[in-house]
Amino acid sequence: MTWELHSAKRLPGGRGVDGGSVWRWNRTAVMGIVNVTPDSFSDGGRFADATSAVEHAGEMVAAGAAIVDVGGESTRPGADPVDPEVELSRVLPVISALREESLPALISVDTRHAVVAEAATAAGAHLVNDVSGLDDPDMAGVCSRAGVPVVVVHHRGIPVALGDEPEYGDVVAEVTAWLSDRIAMARAAGIPSVIADPGIGFGKGQRHNLAILAALPLDVDGPVLIGASRKRFVGAITGAAAAADRDVGSAIVHVEAARRAAAIVRVHDVVTQIQALRMAAALDAAFAAAGGRPSS
Ligand code: PMM
């Protein structure tokens, strides 16, 4: 499997074309999460100041992350929306510092606000990770003008309703159709590449999350990103009440997503995830050589 991202900007590790670049990869890439927020549900605000966020990003890249995702707004259930000015004051120093260090990884900005995406891409972010999937009417234009790829995330209600469990008729069909619409919208606006994310946990309960994972690879035109890291359904299934204790369960979800052609997995614990992906790839190769995996 080979995926590619196109950008008008130079991408670290990308091949230069027409002033821009193409970034190709053929093993599931790991995106490391850098939450520059005081109230993150998953890492409790440990990286809320720019210095520790930059250090943490560097460690994740050293451990094998190909992308670092810098976010300044918490999407945990019950979180208050953050003013874009505040969000910018959190993410810009981190993005600028990472660019100054010439970090050998793509820098993504996790935001649903076009003004934040605009300033972040001007400061050097290579990718926009939009958890609202282009809901902001200015977002598609901003990403198109910046010439950067975008991640569109399926959601129902951000951020306050994140924990709610809405009704779906056929969750896989509805999420797939919605993603296809947003991909078409992004392409029509001139965004060079689009990554589709079914939004694990975004207005979805355990059965919805599991149904989506079981339906991978989704029938969408483009690379798929899965972000299950430390989410509530992982805690519910494994019995790990504290978010920080959910890394093994999260890694297993992402290994299975990788087996089903997820192009990117978004994680907090890069070390555990990289080990799990490497081990799974070696075992899959060994099982294939021995005649396939046993069926259960
Ligand atoms: N989840 C969160 C935030 N950003 N972005 C993408 N593309 N996919 C996700 O599943 C996703 C995201 C919420 O989790 P966090 O607060 O631990 O970052």
Side-chain angles (χ1 to χ4, degrees), residues 8-93:
K9 287 178 184 267
R10 286 184 167 277
L11 301 175
R15 196 168 54 83
V17 281
D18 304 332
S21 55
V22 184
W23 198 71
R24 282 204 181 85
W25 71 112
N26 54 19
R27 289 230 168 138
T28 304
V30 172
M31 172 188 263
I33 300 169
V34 184
N35 280 327
V36 200
T37 53
D39 59 345
S40 163
F41 84 95
S42 47
D43 45 35
R46 278 171 56 214
F47 310 110
D49 70 280
T51 310
S52 39
V54 170
E55 198 179 290
H56 183 52
E59 285 164 2
M60 290 196 296
V61 173
I67 309 169
V68 291
D69 189 36
V70 183
E73 183 186 40
S74 172
T75 47
R76 79 183 155 79
D80 290 329
V82 174
D83 189 90
E85 285 293 316
V86 175
E87 207 184 327
L88 272 174
S89 71
R90 292 174 179 171
V91 298
L92 278 187

Side-chain angles (χ1 to χ4, degrees), residues 33 35 40-42 69 74-76 110 129 131 151 153 162 197 199-200 202 225-229 231 266 268:
I33 300 169
N35 280 327
S40 163
F41 84 95
S42 47
D69 189 36
S74 172
T75 47
R76 79 183 155 79
D110 183 343
N129 175 24
V131 293
V151 182
V153 184
L162 184 69
D197 181 341
I200 297 295
F202 279 85
L225 185 155
I226 295 293
S229 194
K231 290 201 173 156
R266 181 180 178 277
H268 297 87

